[in-house]
Amino acid sequence: MHKRLYGYFVENNFLADNQFGFKEQHCTSMAVDHIATEIDRGNFTVGVFIDLSKAFDTIDHYMLLDKLSLYGIRGNSFNWFSSYLTDRKQYVCLKDVKSDMLCVNCGVPQGSILGPLLFIIYINDIVNISNILQMILFADDTNIFVSGPNINELCRSVNIELTKLSRWFKLNKLSLNIKTTNFIVFRSRTKCLSDVPNVLIDGHAINMVESSRFFGVVINSFLNWNDHISLVNSKISKTIGILRYVKNKLPGNILRSLYFTLVNPYYEYCNIVWAIKITVLLQKLFISQKKVIQIITNSPWVRILTPYFVDCLY
């Protein structure tokens, strides 16, 4: 059913281009291009990183079914989805004690292959609320960007559009967590901020930060990737200690698997974005990688193997 539903939405071009979650041929690295382009043009970019509270658990079943119907899911297919979502029950079990059964009246079934797809269909029309905002979505991660040469006018536009966005969340029964929502003013180092911009949602000021996580990458206001590279280096340094501890206890094929599980993903994820310039911090990553490879190749289990094993690591 997932294959049929996803194929139907792709074939009819229903899914928003701004949605990067659970979609084929959509890489998260594409999402950063917009910010970098505006910085090169000498503009400010206000990026608001919105946090939704338990978004997958608060989806209204009736609204989801209405949206499926509007997209053309009708007849037996609609009845199937209606049956799939309704009359579900849940209970809590602690040791041998079970709570009473309660009906699940909202939320997509998590742990299912259909759950994420149904969620992105539910929020698919969020991109229609504004002609100004550049939205970048990854499932329930909602990020908005507005660019321009004047920071004061930019913030006024952002506040107007955030009012529309807040109203959409309320109408669709999604809860916005203002305390964990923040924003960054992206700019070149030659651009200075005389005052802290005032960005509001429902009259509440949201925090301005210098760096934030964005699709698993740490970005900062100057988009220089120093914060992300430092984080990657820190995580790999911890892994080095683990590999040193187990190098004499595990065979070569397991050590190789550990490398590709615990180390290599940090180097590969979105490196087309953050590893484009050779910096001092980037050199530290190369050194860390060499340390890991030396630990594995110096293991007594690996010394007897051919050089092909080392080539595979690189």
Side-chain angles (χ1 to χ4, degrees):
M1 182 57 78
H2 175 278
K3 184 177 180 180
R4 291 177 59 190
L5 182 64
Y6 181 76
Y8 171 76
F9 270 76
V10 170
E11 182 181 347
N12 291 279
N13 200 28
F14 286 151
L15 293 177
D17 292 334
N18 312 58
Q19 176 62 254
F20 289 82
F22 309 105
K23 288 176 65 180
E24 297 175 357
Q25 299 180 351
H26 276 66
C27 176
T28 50
S29 61
M30 301 175 184
V32 187
D33 292 343
H34 170 77
I35 307 171
T37 300
E38 293 300 331
I39 289 178
D40 291 341
R41 291 174 179 171
N43 288 332
F44 292 99
T45 295
V46 175
V48 183
F49 304 93
I50 293 171
D51 182 46
L52 296 175
S53 299
K54 298 182 179 179
F56 277 69
D57 295 329
T58 57
I59 295 297
D60 184 276
H61 290 168
Y62 297 107
M63 294 185 71
L64 174 57
L65 290 171
D66 283 344
K67 292 187 179 190
L68 287 173
S69 177
L70 289 172
Y71 284 119
I73 309 299
R74 303 188 181 99
N76 289 335
S77 296
F78 179 85
N79 294 335
W80 188 94
F81 280 105
S82 178
S83 174
Y84 177 73
L85 291 169
T86 55
D87 294 328
R88 288 180 173 268
K89 300 185 187 312
Q90 66 181 18
Y91 68 94
V92 177
C93 179
L94 180 61
K95 294 184 179 179
D96 295 328
V97 181
K98 296 181 181 179
S99 69
D100 295 334
M101 284 276 192
L102 291 176
C103 291
V104 180
N105 297 318
C106 60
V108 292
Q110 294 198 38
S112 66
I113 191 173
L114 271 176
L117 178 57
L118 291 174
F119 180 84
I120 66 174
I121 291 172
Y122 186 84
I123 66 167
N124 192 53
D125 58 316
I126 192 175
V127 298
N128 299 324
I129 68 170
S130 173
N131 295 323
I132 297 175
L133 298 179
Q134 167 72 25
M135 288 193 183
I136 298 177
L137 312 171
F138 191 91
D140 58 335
D141 284 343
T142 305
N143 311 280
I144 65 171
F145 301 91
V146 186
S147 302
N150 187 299
I151 187 61
N152 293 323
E153 293 180 3
L154 204 56
C155 288
R156 279 195 289 270
S157 297
V158 169
N159 289 335
I160 292 171
E161 299 306 307
L162 283 176
T163 300
K164 300 177 184 177
L165 187 64
S166 176
R167 186 168 180 270
W168 186 92
F169 284 137
K170 291 173 182 175
L171 290 172
N172 286 271
K173 300 183 179 181
L174 294 173
S175 301
L176 177 65
N177 191 338
I178 294 179
K179 290 183 179 179
T180 53
T181 296
N182 52 54
F183 76 97
I184 296 177
V185 178
F186 296 98
R187 60 199 185 277
S188 67
R189 290 192 176 276
T190 59
K191 295 273 188 179
C192 297
L193 295 176
S194 55
D195 298 306
V196 176
N198 197 20
V199 177
L200 306 171
I201 298 179
D202 292 336
H204 299 282
I206 59 177
N207 294 326
M208 176 179 171
V209 296
E210 288 300 315
S211 64
S212 182
R213 275 190 179 274
F214 179 60
F215 291 0
V217 178
V218 180
I219 56 176
N220 59 27
S221 53
F222 300 118
L223 215 62
N224 57 22
W225 309 110
N226 290 348
D227 295 322
H228 180 72
I229 295 172
S230 296
L231 178 66
V232 170
N233 198 42
S234 174
K235 288 182 178 293
I236 291 172
S237 297
K238 294 177 182 178
T239 306
I240 289 174
I242 297 172
L243 291 175
R244 278 191 178 133
Y245 180 76
V246 301
K247 70 174 184 177
N248 296 323
K249 303 177 181 180
L250 298 176
N253 63 322
I254 300 299
L255 289 173
R256 184 176 181 274
S257 295
L258 285 176
Y259 171 82
F260 283 106
T261 303
L262 301 178
V263 179
N264 200 57
Y266 290 117
Y267 288 115
E268 288 194 343
Y269 182 68
C270 276
N271 59 12
I272 193 174
V273 173
W274 57 264
I276 55 175
K277 294 181 180 179
I278 302 300
T279 64
V280 174
L281 284 172
L282 209 55
Q283 288 295 337
K284 290 182 179 180
L285 285 186
F286 294 147
I287 293 172
S288 297
Q289 187 183 39
K290 287 181 179 179
K291 286 181 181 179
V292 174
I293 294 175
Q294 285 173 356
I295 289 170
I296 296 176
T297 54
N298 288 334
S299 166
W301 292 90
V302 178
R303 289 175 194 154
I304 60 174
L305 298 179
T306 64
Y308 173 74
F309 179 84
V310 180
D311 293 338
C312 288
L313 287 175
Y314 286 100

